[in-house]
Amino acid sequence: MEKLKSLFKSKADAAANEIKEILKEHGQKKIGEVQLAQAYQGMRGITGMVYETSLLDAQEGIRFRGFSIPELQAKLPKAPGGTEPLPEGLFYLMMTGELPSADDVNALSRDWAERAKNMPEHVFKTIDALPLNAHPMTQFVTGVMALQTESIFSKKYAEGVNKKDYWSHTYEDSMNLIARLPSIAAYVYRRKYRGGKSVAADASLDWAGNFAHLLSFDQEGFKELMRLYLTIHADHEGGNVSAHTTHLVGSALSDAYLSFAAGMNGLAGPLHGLANQEVIKWIIEMQRNLGTDTPTGEQIAGYVQKTLSEGKVVPGYGHAVLRKTDPRFTAQQEFAKKHMASDKMVNSVWRIFETVPPILQSLGKIKNPWPNVDAHSGALLLHYGMEEYEYYTVLFGVSRALGVLAALCWSRALGFPIERPKSVTTENVKAWLKGEDQIWE
Ligand code: HAX
């Protein structure tokens, strides 16, 4: 895959020169002000980092290098006979800013299939050391950490590497890690839910198709779902917990394995990626509670009130940045309309979508009452028979690797420094408010 590597390098060099010029002329310009409330309330709305691979608009949703999800669905190459975009194409786009040809995507599929071979045995043995009841995300991250022994960046750094070459070793680590993630993730699934049944990779398949095969879901419909799923979950600009954590840890020159594992520990939180398991758990509990798998809007409304009165969040709804229905939700809804329009769980998801936003809106404090990506994904997986909802965040994690590792390559190629924002204490804030001290910069 020399073409991708050299194209990436030429794009990154051009961008680095441009950034140098921009900073020379405009480096002192202000891009915002920080209010005290923002420092206390999750740094929401502070523009304070550069992350090249995607950009989120609060009203419109995510764009990857300028392309919306429907545009990606139209323009990215597909598997033979398929209609969903191949995630390899999105990775190529995020790395280079250029739409790939079918040949470019095929070359990437073959490259990753090759890099996935000869997985070190100790990775599986390390996962096996965990009890079976360990959460799938814990097992997944443990596998990624065990694979860190293969980091080229770490070896080269220990030998003494010129900082101009960081990007190249980060690129190789990222490509190797992405290539091997489906094996680790599928191993966790088969170990926990399929009695450890072994399945050989099919190197003739694309990355998502082979992942479906390794999970023992060989239906074409599930493969197509995986292609869409692994594309739309890949990136959501830089400030979300998994992307920001990967970026932050990477800024210490921790290699791609260490940085990605750190990001995955953030994805495993229920306000972030774990919400996809929480949604299905919540719907199943609601169905049990109501005694029906076809609840009416009125019944759902009652159950939402019960959830809120117990001081819990309604999973799959709300967002820190988005202020409209997540286009990733809409893309999944379109997929469901095409492939499973009469599925009962899918119909429940749609009825919840009709019912929940006005209730959340009426509370007056929730900034975004609309569904996010996690509100729909579980119902699609359930349709194809993947019932083990505790596993769902691992699928999200495999996809997220594409965005956060492409961004990590960019950060090393642009020579971004260690990230280190300033913090203050409330004592400092109180003294500053009394005019007795300054806010330390
Ligand atoms: N149900 C109930 N209450 C909610 C809510 C929801 N879905 N979303 C927000 N709120 C509450 C908040 O808890 C907060 O309450 P308090 O003031 O009492 O603390 C208030 O509304 C204001 O919150 P906000 O400013 O609108 O939202 P935040 O930016 O603080 O949080 C979250 C954004 C996504 C974390 C939030 O909407 C939430 O908890 N949603 C449910 C969990 C979820 O779906 N997470 C996945 C998000 C997408 C993602 O990252 N996927 O991986």
Side-chain angles (χ1 to χ4, degrees), residues 41 44 233 236 240-242 267 269-276 278-279 304 307-308 311-323 326 328 356 360 363-375 393 396 400:
Q41 293 166 351
R44 212 73 84 251
H233 286 80
H236 217 226
N240 67 77
V241 171
S242 52
L267 193 76
L271 295 188
H272 190 20
L274 203 81
N276 64 6
E278 293 301 297
V279 166
V304 169
T307 302
L308 295 171
K312 298 176 188 166
V313 295
V314 179
Y317 283 77
H319 200 273
V321 180
L322 270 173
R323 294 294 174 257
D326 191 334
R328 301 171 298 175
V356 166
L360 295 184
L363 299 179
K365 68 168 183 178
I366 298 176
K367 296 193 190 69
N368 177 36
W370 302 104
N372 57 57
V373 65
D374 300 314
T393 311
F396 194 156
R400 189 45 59 103

Side-chain angles (χ1 to χ4, degrees), residues 3-15 95-96 164-165 167-168 171 410 413:
K3 181 186 167 194
L4 176 60
K5 192 170 182 179
S6 56
L7 182 60
F8 165 68
K9 179 65 171 137
S10 69
K11 296 280 178 179
D13 283 347
M95 287 293 279
T96 65
K164 288 198 176 70
D165 296 328
W167 75 273
S168 171
Y171 175 93
W410 270 89

Side-chain angles (χ1 to χ4, degrees), residues 282 300 304 314 317 351-361 369:
W282 182 82
I300 292 168
V304 169
V314 179
Y317 283 77
R351 187 131 312 127
I352 292 166
F353 177 33
E354 289 161 12
T355 312
V356 166
I359 300 176
L360 295 184
Q361 213 147 25

Side-chain angles (χ1 to χ4, degrees), residues 20-336:
K20 218 163 139 187
E21 288 305 310
I22 291 171
L23 289 182
K24 209 161 95 191
E25 202 171 330
H26 305 287
Q28 305 307 313
K29 287 201 170 135
K30 290 197 172 155
I31 57 171
E33 281 177 23
V34 180
Q35 292 159 1
L36 188 55
Q38 290 174 298
Y40 276 97
Q41 293 166 351
M43 299 191 282
R44 212 73 84 251
I46 299 176
T47 305
M49 68 189 280
V50 172
Y51 185 93
E52 302 287 7
T53 46
S54 63
L55 187 64
L56 183 60
D57 179 276
Q59 304 300 324
E60 191 202 49
I62 192 68
R63 278 185 182 265
F64 305 84
R65 296 282 188 184
F67 293 96
S68 67
I69 287 174
E71 285 166 359
L72 290 184
Q73 286 175 302
K75 289 177 197 282
L76 287 181
K78 323 276 184 296
T83 56
E84 298 303 334
L86 289 168
E88 287 90 327
L90 175 62
F91 182 74
Y92 188 104
L93 174 67
M94 288 190 291
M95 287 293 279
T96 65
E98 287 184 11
L99 284 169
S101 67
D103 282 350
D104 293 329
V105 163
N106 189 39
L108 198 45
S109 299
R110 302 286 67 77
D111 184 62
W112 286 351
E114 201 49 44
R115 288 174 188 262
K117 289 179 181 163
N118 305 319
M119 179 86 131
E121 243 340 276
H122 75 265
V123 171
F124 302 123
K125 287 193 181 137
T126 307
I127 296 172
D128 286 344
L130 289 168
L132 267 187
N133 66 4
H135 191 277
M137 280 303 279
T138 305
Q139 301 195 36
F140 178 58
V141 173
T142 300
V144 172
M145 285 304 302
L147 191 59
Q148 190 271 342
T149 53
E150 308 309 293
S151 170
I152 295 168
F153 182 95
S154 285
K155 281 190 196 88
K156 296 286 178 191
Y157 195 88
E159 285 164 21
V161 65
N162 189 314
K163 48 169 78 168
K164 288 198 176 70
D165 296 328
Y166 289 167
W167 75 273
S168 171
H169 306 311
T170 300
Y171 175 93
E172 294 300 330
D173 276 357
S174 298
M175 294 285 277
N176 289 337
L177 177 53
I178 290 169
R180 287 172 160 180
L181 280 178
S183 310
I184 298 177
Y187 185 82
V188 170
Y189 183 78
R190 298 197 310 264
R191 171 176 191 256
K192 193 167 164 80
Y193 305 114
R194 294 287 181 272
K197 180 179 158 227
S198 123
V199 175
D202 182 345
S204 70
L205 285 171
D206 54 283
W207 186 67
N210 179 54
F211 185 25
H213 165 70
L214 289 173
L215 290 164
S216 302
F217 284 81
D218 281 297
Q219 313 97 299
E220 204 42 46
F222 190 83
K223 288 193 179 121
E224 279 288 274
L225 172 61
M226 275 301 102
R227 291 167 187 137
L228 175 67
Y229 189 110
L230 299 179
T231 298
I232 63 175
H233 286 80
D235 212 29
H236 217 226
E237 77 171 28
N240 67 77
V241 171
S242 52
H244 190 191
T245 306
T246 307
H247 176 81
L248 168 68
V249 175
S251 82
L253 296 186
S254 305
D255 63 52
Y257 298 83
L258 298 169
S259 305
F260 175 66
M264 288 301 97
N265 285 318
L267 193 76
L271 295 188
H272 190 20
L274 203 81
N276 64 6
Q277 82 164 42
E278 293 301 297
V279 166
I280 286 299
K281 191 170 153 217
W282 182 82
I283 298 177
I284 291 172
E285 275 166 12
M286 171 172 72
Q287 291 177 340
R288 213 171 283 147
N289 195 281
L290 299 172
T292 172
D293 55 7
T294 50
T296 62
E298 210 173 315
Q299 287 174 310
I300 292 168
Y303 196 75
V304 169
Q305 295 296 357
K306 172 173 149 43
T307 302
L308 295 171
S309 70
E310 289 166 355
K312 298 176 188 166
V313 295
V314 179
Y317 283 77
H319 200 273
V321 180
L322 270 173
R323 294 294 174 257
K324 286 271 166 65
T325 294
D326 191 334
R328 301 171 298 175
F329 177 92
T330 310
Q332 296 179 90
Q333 190 177 32
E334 293 304 317
F335 185 93

